Amino acid sequence: MSESSQTIAADRDDADVDALRARIRQAAEAVRERTPMAQSFTNFVTINLVANAQLAAGGAAAMSFLPDDVVDTASMSGADYINVGTLLPFYKDALPKIARAFRKTGHQWVLDPVAAGIGSTRTEILRAFRAAPPTIVRGNASEIIALATMWGLISPDDATRPAGVESVDEVEAAVEPAKALARFLAASAPEGEAAVAVSGEADLVTDGATVYRLPGGSPMMAKITGAGCSLGGVTAVYLAVTDPLTAALAATALYDRAGEAADKVSNGPGSFQVAFLDALWNTTPDQIAASEILTV
Amino acid sequence: MSESSQTIAADRDDADVDALRARIRQAAEAVRERTPMAQSFTNFVTINLVANAQLAAGGAAAMSFLPDDVVDTASMSGADYINVGTLLPFYKDALPKIARAFRKTGHQWVLDPVAAGIGSTRTEILRAFRAAPPTIVRGNASEIIALATMWGLISPDDATRPAGVESVDEVEAAVEPAKALARFLAASAPEGEAAVAVSGEADLVTDGATVYRLPGGSPMMAKITGAGCSLGGVTAVYLAVTDPLTAALAATALYDRAGEAADKVSNGPGSFQVAFLDALWNTTPDQIAASEILTV
Amino acid sequence: MSESSQTIAADRDDADVDALRARIRQAAEAVRERTPMAQSFTNFVTINLVANAQLAAGGAAAMSFLPDDVVDTASMSGADYINVGTLLPFYKDALPKIARAFRKTGHQWVLDPVAAGIGSTRTEILRAFRAAPPTIVRGNASEIIALATMWGLISPDDATRPAGVESVDEVEAAVEPAKALARFLAASAPEGEAAVAVSGEADLVTDGATVYRLPGGSPMMAKITGAGCSLGGVTAVYLAVTDPLTAALAATALYDRAGEAADKVSNGPGSFQVAFLDALWNTTPDQIAASEILTV
């Protein structure tokens, strides 16, 4: 690529990012004005933080585990969130049933494939989602790679073994799997749009075409349980008011800014979590929209 | 009504409220002295806050989901608390079974009909409670209206549609349903006494005859998950030491005072919840008993 | 015993305790360096605190309830933790199955026999663990006595009735049951070593031969839910890097020091829990190892 074509590409990127920033600001304002409700089917470890983070980010929360309850509530929910941690036996039937119900009505949802690749029940559930996929997937690098492999979107040779709920893979290793996954989700989406978010030292968001990197956050986010899970829940709140790419970028940027704010005033993981919830509440749409977003 | 009869009525109300204040103070002192245990069968989102609020209010907590466990523990529990959020499939049999066991022994309990009207499983469970009812029901306006309608205590024309875990109805719309519900509960109660508490901007408590309004609290109580659920648990702690009306009034007044105290020292929902638990611990029986209680 | 033989015994005790202190310091350093993962199958009330305490203490956490998931994750887990609070119906088969799988591979685990003696399902599960026992048991005095009785290790005449999740027995009443339990566990352990920890005003730890008493902590630890449960989880983190006796002593000492630190800066149970998690994070290996350990 010649020097001038590089400059043109960079200019186009800048224009794209500027347009994204405007959409992110609008979405953040819409969440604060409309208090959109996002329902969650999520794990027992961090379910309280998911709800509190959704409220602190400006949304409303509802949590359910029974298909009849979830489907009833979904009619009042702007988007749903499913997180496959701490599975119970009946989830094997309940979760695929719920995903099929969402697909039937075109209801949008966010998946957190926690610990993808571990346990036969989880694998069975995640495989079933391939036929009724979410609009956004958010996970760590290992989970994104495991899910993309499980769905046959990348060669098993590109995959690594699962490592529990902690990622053993660097975010960069998940770039191609994340793009493949986003393209697959978009092809299945009613409006043809989807996104994948990979959490790590520098978070990554992609719509399958462009890869966005969001630096920042705090290392303390890995020292409280549920930073990732609750980001999934907040992403669903944003998905209730905007498109998948904007939702994933806005929620991720909000988390990075709130993490930095909490880092400054805390003295350990206890006070960090308290300050983080306060920061989710106090971070403004302007601050979220001003976040660094790299396309290189 | 003539001016003088109004004055007489107001004087009688004042005397009633003074007597109530004395009972509220006694109840608050008894909780601090006796550490009464209240067992809970409650939802997974706010179960930790329910237990911590019960401890902070001066009581003791135990949580169970199996009928054999619940019935065994009930013999050591001053009163029980049942909250129908986040249902699992086996609750459909377990919860009515537990309610029937409580009825058989005259064991008192508090019901929070979370999301009443949503989902066929929840409706089936709440309908079953009609034959073995609680001593106190605490909910938001929409939930109280839905439960009173479900039990045939008010005309469906007076009811509104459910709105998830957030109330869509104003507290005032629930006055008549709450009174009808309280009268029904009292008629079923071993000692002929019951109460209904409706949470909202100005909380309402009734024994079926008189309606009491308790102003105060903090708008931040709606920005943490579980303010209502944990009030139900603390109401059960109070029910272990006093009559239903006093228990509902005392617990509601404590929540309003603690909410105001937390509001003054917090900077968002994270620090609000921390300060709220501290305030439950630090609010004195005198402060609780001095709460504004309106009968007009 | 003559005066000089007493002095010799005291000197030997001092030498033993000095050796223990060195092992405690090494273990605390190893946890900070290696971030060992401990998987938990634990109750819904305090599951979030268990995970956050494990992270704050320097470890990593994973929580599961399905045998296939637990057994898969155990291969990545240094030690497991099982807590029998808030049982669900399927645990009756799942928990004994998991214990047998651990026994087969020699995988070490910590048991918290919450509310031992209450409910037929819990009793059935705890009885089943006799054939596939843990490496460490941690509980309050009543729970330790109930478990030792249930397993036929002490005469029922020495036992007292259960009292829910709160202990009705003093720690001293559990000395002989705790020693008998520790000897039974050690006899079943692959490496012949085990420990029992009894939480109370002065905590007690024994390997079946020697009884160690650790004074300290804070009365506020009884005013938050999960101080005991999360100590079980942190003990599993330590068991991942050291022998059972050192693990039980180190985790208990850490809890006592963190409780004291939190006591100084808190204003009620809300701020106590926040400060306690911060203190778990900030307490140094030297501070843990310098804890008072009495053998008299």
Side-chain angles (χ1 to χ4, degrees), chain A residues 31-138:
Chain A
V31 165
R32 296 284 167 170
E33 281 158 24
R34 293 190 231 160
T35 318
M37 203 262 270
Q39 179 180 222
S40 300
F41 187 127
T42 188
N43 73 69
F44 299 115
V45 190
T46 63
I47 188 168
N48 183 268
L49 183 62
V50 171
N52 272 326
Q54 291 177 319
L55 292 172
M63 268 70 185
S64 312
F65 297 100
L66 288 187
D68 67 283
D69 200 4
V70 171
V71 171
D72 249 31
T73 306
S75 66
M76 293 170 269
S77 164
D80 268 54
Y81 172 51
I82 293 178
N83 174 304
V84 296
T86 63
L87 302 172
L88 299 186
F90 77 94
Y91 291 10
K92 192 154 60 174
D93 297 319
L95 279 172
K97 190 175 175 178
I98 289 166
R100 286 193 299 268
F102 289 168
R103 179 151 185 85
K104 216 170 165 181
T105 57
H107 187 63
Q108 297 195 102
W109 60 289
V110 176
L111 169 66
D112 187 332
V114 177
I118 297 177
S120 56
T121 306
R122 180 172 291 106
T123 297
E124 197 177 318
I125 290 167
L126 289 177
R127 277 191 204 282
F129 286 158
R130 193 184 193 280
T135 320
I136 299 178
V137 173
R138 190 224 69 82

Side-chain angles (χ1 to χ4, degrees), chain A residues 35 37 44 47-48 51-52 55-56 59-66 68-69 72-73 76 88 90-91 274 277-278 281-282, chain B residues 44-46 86-89 117-122 162-166 220 222-225 267-271 273-274:
Chain A
T35 318
M37 203 262 270
F44 299 115
I47 188 168
N48 183 268
N52 272 326
L55 292 172
M63 268 70 185
S64 312
F65 297 100
L66 288 187
D68 67 283
D69 200 4
D72 249 31
T73 306
M76 293 170 269
L88 299 186
F90 77 94
Y91 291 10
V274 171
L277 284 168
D278 281 357
W281 177 256
N282 291 313
Chain B
F44 299 115
V45 190
T46 63
T86 62
L87 303 171
L88 299 186
I118 298 177
S120 56
T121 305
R122 180 173 290 107
V165 293
E166 307 294 333
M220 288 306 287
K223 298 300 171 189
I224 59 168
T225 188
N267 188 36
S271 51
Q273 179 168 320
V274 171

Side-chain angles (χ1 to χ4, degrees), chain B residues 17-295:
Chain B
V17 168
D18 284 348
L20 271 176
R21 282 185 200 291
R23 273 150 57 195
I24 289 171
R25 185 184 289 100
Q26 279 168 1
E29 284 163 357
V31 164
R32 295 286 166 169
E33 281 159 24
R34 292 189 232 159
T35 320
M37 202 261 271
Q39 178 180 221
S40 301
F41 187 127
T42 190
N43 73 69
F44 299 115
V45 190
T46 63
I47 189 167
N48 183 268
L49 183 62
V50 171
N52 273 326
Q54 291 177 319
L55 292 172
M63 268 71 184
S64 311
F65 298 99
L66 288 187
D68 68 283
D69 200 5
V70 171
V71 171
D72 249 31
T73 307
S75 66
M76 294 169 268
S77 164
D80 267 55
Y81 172 50
I82 294 179
N83 174 303
V84 296
T86 62
L87 303 171
L88 299 186
F90 77 94
Y91 292 9
K92 192 153 61 174
D93 298 318
L95 279 173
K97 190 175 176 179
I98 289 166
R100 285 193 300 270
F102 289 169
R103 179 151 185 85
K104 216 170 166 182
T105 58
H107 186 63
Q108 297 194 103
W109 60 289
V110 176
L111 169 66
D112 187 332
V114 177
I118 298 177
S120 56
T121 305
R122 180 173 290 107
T123 297
E124 195 176 321
I125 290 168
L126 289 177
R127 277 189 203 283
F129 286 157
R130 193 183 193 281
T135 319
I136 299 178
V137 173
R138 190 224 68 84
N140 64 37
S142 299
E143 291 157 353
I144 297 301
I145 295 168
L147 187 66
T149 308
M150 209 178 279
W151 286 3
L153 306 175
I154 57 166
S155 152
D157 298 342
D158 297 342
T160 55
R161 59 171 192 78
V165 293
E166 307 294 333
S167 185
V168 285
D169 296 292
E170 295 297 320
V171 170
E172 288 313 306
V175 171
E176 289 311 316
K179 287 173 75 175
L181 195 53
R183 283 192 297 268
F184 175 80
L185 299 179
S188 311
E191 312 204 0
E193 293 184 348
V196 170
V198 190
S199 301
E201 267 189 53
D203 301 309
L204 180 158
V205 174
T206 181
D207 57 0
T210 311
V211 171
Y212 303 90
R213 285 179 176 79
L214 293 91
S218 160
M220 288 306 287
M221 291 176 79
K223 298 300 171 189
I224 59 168
T225 188
C229 301
S230 63
L231 172 53
V234 169
T235 302
V237 166
Y238 270 85
L239 184 57
V241 302
T242 191
D243 63 275
L245 177 62
T246 306
L249 286 168
T252 301
L254 169 58
Y255 261 56
D256 284 337
R257 297 299 78 71
E260 290 156 5
D263 209 40
K264 279 181 200 150
V265 297
S266 58
N267 188 36
S271 51
F272 180 84
Q273 179 168 320
V274 171
F276 182 73
L277 284 168
D278 281 358
L280 286 180
W281 178 255
N282 292 312
T283 303
T284 64
D286 278 352
Q287 289 172 319
I288 300 169
S291 294
E292 194 174 3
I293 300 175
L294 308 172
T295 52

